[in-house]
Amino acid sequence: MSAASGGTASRPLRIVALDLIAAFLLLTVTVIGFATTFDGPQYVLAGVGGTALGLAIAYLGARLRWGILTLTGATLGAYLLFGGALALPHTTIAGFIPTLETLRELALGTITSWKQLLTTVPPVAASDGHLVVPLILTLAGGVLTGSLALRARRPAWALVPALIVLVASILLGVAQPAAPLIEGLAFAGVAVAWLSLRASWDGDRAAVRVESAGTSDAASVRSSRVRRLVAAGGVLAIAAVAGVGAAAFAQPPTHRYILRDFVVPPFDISQYPSPLQSFRGYVRDDADKTLFTVTGLPEGARVRLATMDAYNGIVYNVADDGAGSSSAFTPVRSNMSPDATGTPATVRIDIRELGGVWLPDIGAPREFSFTGSRAADLARSAHFNDATGTAVAPAGLAAGDGYTLQTVIPVIPSDAALADVPFASLKMPKQEGIPEKLADLASQATVDAETPIARARALESWLHTDGFFSHGLADDVVSLSGHGTNRITSLVTGDQMIGDDEQYAVTMALMARQLGMPARVVMGWHPKADDPAETMFTATGDNLHAWVEIAFQGVGWVPFDPTPDEDNEPNDQTTKPHANPKPQVLQPPPPAQEPADLPPAIAEDRDQDEEQSNGIDWLGPVLLYGGISLGVVVLLALPFIVMGVIKGARRARRRSAARSADRISGGWDELVDSAVDLRAPVVQGATRAESAAIVGATFAQPRVGELATRADLEVYGPGEPSAADVDAFWREVDDIVGGMRGSTSLWQRLRARLSLRSLRPGLAALRSRMALRRPGGAA
């Protein structure tokens, strides 16, 4: 690399130590960005360990003058050797000796870990292999940052890879950063302090001869060093104060877009029909079939199959509202439901005749451990929704499948404990196709209720007490299946209110939503109240149920059972009871409540204040940020493009001059202009021999003198040079110019591209010609 200035042997030990410490601090600051992404401090070991490992490789590479291939090989070797201890200790022997499984996961992790991290709901578990991401970033960042700091002539280039790691930690993180102000100020502070101190010490090295010349000169040098340090400290202090002040008085920050927001969910549950549509089919066809068994079901616990919170007038289903909604499923992991509180339990579920993609679960699941011949397929395809506590396996369930569930059974508070508890302030999906009479009926049923729990119980009691039960099977009273608008309307307006769990649960959920309650419908199983306690629960179509859950602030989702008892069957002499004939007084809207913390079993929805649109809503931010990035790139490249066009046109004009002697002269001018742009002290108006002496000495190019002599002979000699002579001359010019540029640093070459030094004589001549053409100009 042309920007390199040699290994560490040519630099004082204190500068090498300063560079390594600064690089370590810069990359350690970027590790802070992963604090909210992981659920424990293990990321610190992976990040700091990867940084130290990368800097050690960078130091050895600089000291031993390794090339790029050797440096890359050393980095890969260190990754495979130490990656297990830093990122995958659970796959190693004694916590640090890598196994074949360790090497396999490290190799696959270089490709798959990025997607897995972005498609897993944070905070993610370190034991799931996600630590490979911070390890790779800090290891590669350490090698690049350390190498540039120790080798580059301008150490500021080392800030580029460190900044890339910082940006990557932000993009791979969450929308709520850990400590953005501290992180930004620390990064800027370390960078400014390092570069200032480095400049001061480099100045001391350059002045070593001055210090040895006399006492007063040495004192002057020391004074200059102090002034530089004081100035750097002042700049740092001003930057810190300005940053804190701006953060304190700025407007609240807008939403920060991260990669996690744009990743397409790996599983689309909307392609499957709502399980509630199959409710009557389970009851009719699978009443006596063993769908699955549950071992270790805690007393009072319910088995959940699906949770639905969106109604469109036809079916109750999951809401397709993006991240945080009931349709947002992410791969199962070992730290699900991190905020759930209750009684831990271990439950075993064995599948018999249950099919489909929905996985039965209990409580707030933390971890699924699959067994059986299809365990690997189920583990790879299983997904979980933190907002609803439901799970799916696109691979599908089959007889013989099984899994052990580590879960937390929430404690259901009593009505007395909920007496003064308001409903949770949650954003719920929009409902469509609501029967017109439901709002009036809900108001009548709750007219005497004064508290939130009383209003919910009033709805439950009205449906449970005044309704009748029937599955509509062969020996039952007619009861149509379904829960669309027409079916719910016929339920509440007919002479008799007849239905089963499907209709009553949907009706109560819709009525609750009309009164402003956050309600949803759940389909699953639970033992009957009078069933004897058993060590194994057998789920069949006969004990399948649907119920309603309503969220209370700080408590979570509380279940309600509006379905009448199964022995409460209608008859021909019974007329449908009506709600108490009181004046139809609509309940006032619920008073405004302060946004509450989400209940334990609810995933945080950071977009509660914004309506999420379906389809390609992610495309706008992607195009916006892509356009901004492209605009910045074009803006940065524009000066190079403009100067390239101007100098390219000048070269083309010289190369295609009418006389061959002028083309030779143009070739020489091209060489001199290139040297001038590279800051060679060529004097304007000097002869070719004088210019050749300066250029040759500046760039160690002895051939320049020979080329100058040849140019004089071709231009001033008898006859015109041939086309072959012109081509050979220009090839020699290009070869020498290439050597000149190769002897300079990358920064010097970039500066030469933008330099106007070689254009100034031409601009001066152009101004002179324009002045002669003006009226009154010199003749």
Side-chain angles (χ1 to χ4, degrees):
M1 175 166 73
S2 61
S5 61
T8 61
S10 61
R11 298 185 179 185
L13 180 60
R14 65 172 183 170
I15 290 184
V16 174
L18 174 65
D19 292 342
L20 291 176
I21 293 173
F24 181 81
L25 293 177
L26 287 171
L27 292 172
T28 301
V29 169
T30 67
V31 176
I32 299 176
F34 288 107
T36 53
T37 303
F38 290 87
D39 67 347
Q42 297 92 334
Y43 74 94
V44 177
L45 177 61
V48 175
T51 298
L53 196 60
L55 292 177
I57 296 173
Y59 173 76
L60 291 176
R63 187 168 184 82
L64 302 178
R65 299 181 181 275
W66 288 348
I68 293 179
L69 293 180
T70 305
L71 204 60
T72 303
T75 304
L76 292 177
Y79 172 70
L80 296 176
L81 184 61
F82 297 98
L86 295 176
L88 300 169
H90 58 283
T91 66
T92 62
I93 300 173
F96 64 93
I97 301 176
T99 62
L100 291 178
E101 178 65 15
T102 303
L103 299 178
R104 186 186 72 84
E105 290 196 22
L106 286 173
L108 291 176
T110 58
I111 300 174
T112 62
S113 60
W114 312 92
K115 178 182 177 183
Q116 290 174 354
L117 179 63
L118 292 175
T119 56
T120 303
V121 175
V124 301
S127 59
D128 290 341
H130 300 299
L131 290 177
V132 171
V133 172
L135 173 62
I136 292 176
L137 284 176
T138 54
L139 176 60
V143 173
L144 293 175
T145 303
S147 297
L148 289 173
L150 296 173
R151 298 190 183 196
R153 287 188 174 91
R154 293 182 179 271
W157 283 108
L159 294 178
V160 175
L163 188 61
I164 291 175
V165 176
L166 177 64
V167 172
S169 69
I170 294 173
L171 294 177
L172 294 169
V174 297
Q176 295 81 23
L181 180 60
I182 296 176
E183 190 175 6
L185 286 178
F187 189 92
V190 171
V192 172
W194 170 50
L195 293 179
S196 300
L197 193 58
R198 177 69 185 277
S200 174
W201 288 0
D202 283 342
D204 291 348
R205 292 177 61 199
V208 66
R209 288 190 300 272
V210 176
E211 288 187 353
S212 62
T215 315
S216 65
D217 289 338
S220 175
V221 170
R222 285 193 294 271
S223 176
S224 175
R225 172 174 37 179
V226 171
R227 287 196 302 271
R228 287 195 296 269
L229 289 176
V230 171
V235 171
L236 178 58
I238 294 174
V241 172
V244 173
F249 294 100
Q251 295 181 351
T254 58
H255 174 71
R256 181 173 70 166
Y257 288 100
I258 54 176
L259 293 178
R260 195 180 303 274
D261 294 329
F262 304 137
V263 173
V264 178
F267 173 71
D268 183 11
I269 190 63
S270 63
Q271 62 182 311
Y272 297 94
S274 168
L276 196 59
Q277 292 178 286
S278 304
F279 184 89
R280 192 65 65 86
Y282 280 113
V283 172
R284 181 188 65 238
D285 302 331
D286 301 326
D288 299 324
K289 294 181 180 178
T290 300
L291 300 176
F292 60 91
T293 60
V294 182
T295 304
L297 181 66
E299 183 179 356
R302 303 185 180 211
V303 181
R304 181 190 309 266
L305 184 68
T307 301
M308 296 141 286
D309 55 6
Y311 186 73
N312 61 4
I314 300 174
V315 64
Y316 233 112
N317 207 344
V318 296
D320 189 13
D321 284 347
S325 70
S326 57
S327 64
F329 287 82
T330 57
V332 295
R333 54 200 189 279
S334 60
N335 67 335
M336 299 179 296
S337 309
D339 299 326
T341 58
T343 305
T346 301
V347 180
R348 171 70 188 181
I349 297 178
D350 292 287
I351 305 299
R352 299 292 180 83
E353 298 191 46
L354 179 67
V357 300
W358 293 88
L359 293 174
D361 64 43
I362 297 98
R366 290 195 183 277
E367 183 177 5
F368 287 84
S369 299
F370 294 93
T371 59
S373 59
R374 303 175 65 243
D377 293 337
L378 290 174
R380 280 193 297 267
S381 69
H383 289 70
F384 181 72
N385 186 296
D386 285 271
T388 60
T390 54
V392 293
L397 295 176
D401 294 337
Y403 49 93
T404 299
L405 184 64
Q406 303 294 332
T407 186
V408 176
I409 307 301
V411 177
I412 305 301
S414 64
D415 287 5
L418 294 173
D420 298 322
V421 180
F423 297 120
S425 298
L426 300 179
K427 178 195 170 196
M428 299 297 293
K430 289 184 177 180
Q431 308 288 55
E432 299 177 356
I434 309 297
E436 296 180 358
K437 293 185 175 296
L438 280 189
D440 292 343
L441 292 174
S443 297
Q444 294 179 54
T446 59
V447 67
D448 292 330
E450 297 181 354
T451 63
I453 183 62
R455 289 198 292 272
R457 290 298 182 197
L459 292 178
E460 178 190 45
S461 176
W462 181 67
L463 292 169
H464 182 85
T465 303
D466 293 358
F468 297 96
F469 184 89
S470 174
H471 281 312
L473 302 180
D475 298 330
D476 297 335
V477 175
V478 174
S479 173
L480 299 177
S481 63
H483 53 276
T485 301
N486 293 335
R487 178 64 182 96
I488 302 304
T489 300
S490 67
L491 176 74
V492 297
T493 60
D495 292 335
Q496 297 187 107
M497 190 158 53
I498 305 173
D500 58 12
D501 300 60
E502 179 185 4
Q503 290 80 44
Y504 285 107
V506 170
T507 301
M508 178 179 173
L510 293 178
M511 296 174 75
R513 291 293 307 277
Q514 292 297 98
L515 297 180
M517 305 180 195
R520 63 190 188 185
V521 175
V522 182
M523 176 175 162
W525 292 263
H526 60 79
K528 297 179 181 179
D530 55 352
D531 286 349
E534 298 179 353
T535 58
M536 178 182 292
F537 171 73
T538 301
T540 67
D542 184 59
N543 54 21
L544 176 65
H545 297 283
W547 60 90
V548 175
E549 289 183 344
I550 298 177
F552 288 81
Q553 180 176 315
V555 174
W557 295 93
V558 177
F560 293 83
D561 295 296
T563 306
D565 296 333
E566 293 188 12
D567 57 2
N568 186 13
E569 298 180 353
N571 55 65
D572 294 339
Q573 286 76 34
T574 305
T575 58
K576 172 185 174 295
H578 296 278
N580 295 332
K582 300 177 182 179
Q584 295 188 9
V585 180
L586 289 176
Q587 292 287 345
Q593 302 175 0
E594 293 294 329
D597 294 335
L598 296 179
I602 305 171
E604 182 178 359
D605 184 359
R606 63 173 179 263
D607 294 325
Q608 292 183 6
D609 297 329
E610 299 179 1
E611 290 295 332
Q612 298 185 8
S613 58
N614 297 327
I616 56 173
D617 54 342
W618 53 269
L619 186 59
V622 171
L623 293 177
L624 173 62
Y625 283 92
I628 293 175
S629 302
L630 181 60
V632 171
V633 172
V634 172
L635 186 62
L636 293 175
L638 188 60
F640 294 93
I641 296 174
V642 172
M643 294 305 298
V645 170
I646 293 175
K647 294 182 180 180
R650 181 183 64 184
R651 174 187 171 91
R653 184 174 64 254
R654 291 168 172 172
R655 188 71 174 81
S656 59
R659 296 177 59 247
S660 56
D662 291 338
R663 293 199 290 271
I664 294 290
S665 181
W668 175 258
D669 291 340
E670 188 71 19
L671 185 147
V672 173
D673 286 344
S674 298
V676 169
D677 286 337
L678 289 169
R679 301 301 177 93
V682 179
V683 179
Q684 184 177 355
T687 64
R688 290 192 179 94
E690 294 170 342
S691 299
I694 296 174
V695 174
T698 303
F699 300 102
Q701 292 285 341
R703 293 183 298 166
V704 179
E706 300 175 2
L707 192 67
T709 303
R710 179 179 171 185
D712 286 339
L713 291 175
E714 296 286 2
V715 172
Y716 300 114
E720 287 287 324
S722 65
D725 294 335
V726 172
D727 292 340
F729 186 87
W730 273 87
R731 283 196 299 270
E732 186 73 10
V733 167
D734 292 338
D735 188 39
I736 293 175
V737 170
M740 289 161 45
R741 290 173 177 167
S743 65
T744 59
S745 66
L746 176 62
W747 171 251
Q748 290 172 320
R749 293 197 298 273
L750 292 176
R751 185 175 59 187
R753 296 283 186 184
L754 300 177
S755 176
L756 296 172
R757 295 167 66 93
S758 65
L759 298 176
R760 290 171 185 170
L763 294 175
L766 178 61
R767 286 194 296 267
S768 299
R769 289 195 298 270
M770 294 179 64
L772 291 174
R773 295 174 183 174
R774 297 191 189 114

